[in-house]
Amino acid sequence: MKILAGSSNPELSGRLSDELGIDLLDREVMRFPDGELYARIDDVVKGETVLLVQSTYPDHNAMEFLILSRLLKDLGAYRITGIIPYFGYARQDRIFREGESFTARTMASLIEMSADDVICVNLHKEATLREFRKVGKSANVSVMADIGDFLSGFGIEYILAPDKGAVDYAREAAESCGCGFDHLEKTRIDGSTVKIAPKDLEVDGKTVCIVDDIIATGGTIMKAATALREQGAKAVYACCAHGLYTGGGMERLKPVLDGLYSSDSIENPTSGYSAARAISKAVKEMEGELDG
Ligand code: R5P
């Protein structure tokens, strides 16, 4: 088994290589002056199972996934496992209005043109995994327990999800952190505006952390942090799986939080914990190594 690291997640690929004790393939990936991709693999991959680590966000990374997976197929790889730390377009996970594109399905169908198996990390909706119709094995792994472990030294007393839909994330993180959990009541007004309804929580004088799968504009965390401070929270942290931070979200959030962290599914200065452990566990399960 070998790892092919695409350009999106070099650090995570290195951690995965350490965690699994397998080598990274020698490869060259670069862009021509017009932006088109050039890719070459210098090692022999014929007959090998290869883990291709590459997110599909933003679009140029999705194109790189397609080019690299097809290259592995053309070079005779035995099995190609697409490891997609951040699955772009996961939030368009159904047809909300007639006539619009079901983009998560489109992406899945493109990915499985060359990938034999897939491992995703904290997909926005678990059901999106079912859009992979041709792959052999598929898994959606979670970094929430890693977030809980990471928070263990922070004196966190409560972990809060911004809405009911994310309460399982809070539960998972709280279980490994050893603290309580609850959720706020969020309503989305539009793509960049959310409202957090008042809800009595036992956060007065407490150190709390908000957890979510994605931080995009930061609007959700901003409103949640404000609501928690208004209820007397002493310190407010925020952790997510995927730190997208669109339109300066990171800079806007930092001053209102005591700490802001994300995983290395999208590598950025807030990456405080890694998805490598969760992914390598899924790889081993897929290989059947944990069965015996
Ligand atoms: C929505 O359902 C997601 O779980 C996140 O809460 C959302 O994507 C965060 O977006 P933003 O940071 O723009 O509020």
Side-chain angles (χ1 to χ4, degrees):
M1 188 183 278
K2 298 273 167 55
I3 295 176
L4 176 58
S7 311
S8 65
N9 294 78
E11 290 178 17
L12 172 58
S13 300
R15 290 180 188 123
L16 209 50
S17 160
D18 293 343
E19 192 89 32
L20 289 165
I22 56 177
D23 292 334
L24 296 167
L25 288 166
D26 261 349
R27 52 73 163 167
E28 188 179 356
V29 176
M30 59 108 179
R31 297 261 163 199
F32 290 109
D34 62 1
E36 289 182 357
L37 193 85
Y38 169 88
R40 191 185 68 242
I41 295 171
D42 293 320
D43 286 322
V44 175
V45 294
K46 196 171 170 56
E48 288 274 1
T49 293
V50 181
L51 310 177
L52 167 58
V53 184
Q54 175 69 4
S55 288
T56 58
Y57 171 90
D59 287 358
H60 64 83
N61 278 335
M63 183 56 83
E64 185 174 329
F65 184 99
L66 299 177
I67 288 173
L68 291 179
S69 57
R70 177 61 199 231
L71 174 59
L72 286 168
K73 203 179 174 78
D74 290 346
L75 293 174
Y78 165 65
R79 279 199 88 75
I80 302 159
T81 302
I83 295 185
I84 307 167
Y86 181 68
F87 183 102
Y89 294 100
R91 285 180 290 177
Q92 187 70 20
D93 54 13
R94 62 187 168 94
I95 295 167
F96 296 88
R97 285 180 58 191
E98 200 181 322
E100 69 187 12
S101 158
F102 186 169
T103 337
R105 174 174 288 172
T106 307
M107 291 304 294
S109 66
L110 290 171
I111 289 163
E112 65 188 358
M113 277 165 42
S114 301
D116 300 293
D117 308 304
V118 286
I119 298 175
C120 301
V121 179
N122 287 109
L123 273 172
H124 185 56
K125 291 266 165 56
E126 180 81 22
T128 299
L129 215 51
R130 291 203 290 274
E131 299 306 331
F132 291 98
R133 288 157 191 211
K134 295 189 193 143
V135 295
K137 295 174 189 163
S138 61
N140 177 34
V141 305
S142 176
V143 297
M144 294 299 150
D146 301 274
I147 291 178
D149 289 346
F150 172 78
L151 290 173
S152 295
F154 286 63
I156 305 288
E157 296 163 276
Y158 247 96
I159 293 186
L160 282 313
D163 55 41
K164 204 172 176 184
V167 75
D168 284 344
Y169 299 141
R171 178 183 297 114
E172 218 186 313
E175 271 168 15
S176 63
C177 183
C179 64
F181 69 94
D182 205 337
H183 65 87
L184 299 154
E185 302 285 357
K186 173 177 104 172
T187 314
R188 180 162 290 285
I189 313 292
D190 59 38
S192 56
T193 322
V194 296
K195 206 173 86 187
I196 299 276
K199 178 180 173 190
D200 280 338
L201 297 159
E202 293 168 25
V203 297
D204 192 19
K206 297 218 160 88
T207 296
V208 301
C209 181
I210 311 157
V211 294
D212 208 353
D213 58 341
I214 303 169
I215 299 179
T217 63
T220 298
I221 298 295
M222 182 73 81
K223 287 279 162 58
T226 307
L228 291 167
R229 296 244 190 239
E230 281 170 3
Q231 294 201 28
K234 183 174 70 181
V236 181
Y237 293 82
C239 288
C240 65
H242 312 297
L244 283 182
Y245 304 128
T246 50
M250 190 193 308
E251 292 69 27
R252 268 199 309 281
L253 283 175
K254 277 197 159 166
V256 303
L257 294 166
D258 292 273
L260 172 64
Y261 303 98
S262 64
S263 84
D264 52 5
S265 68
I266 296 172
E267 294 174 8
N268 64 57
T270 68
S271 298
Y273 33 87
S274 178
R277 185 205 56 83
I279 295 169
S280 58
K281 186 165 173 273
V283 169
K284 287 177 188 166
E285 277 168 3
M286 279 190 179
E287 289 301 300
E289 286 180 20
L290 296 182
D291 293 341

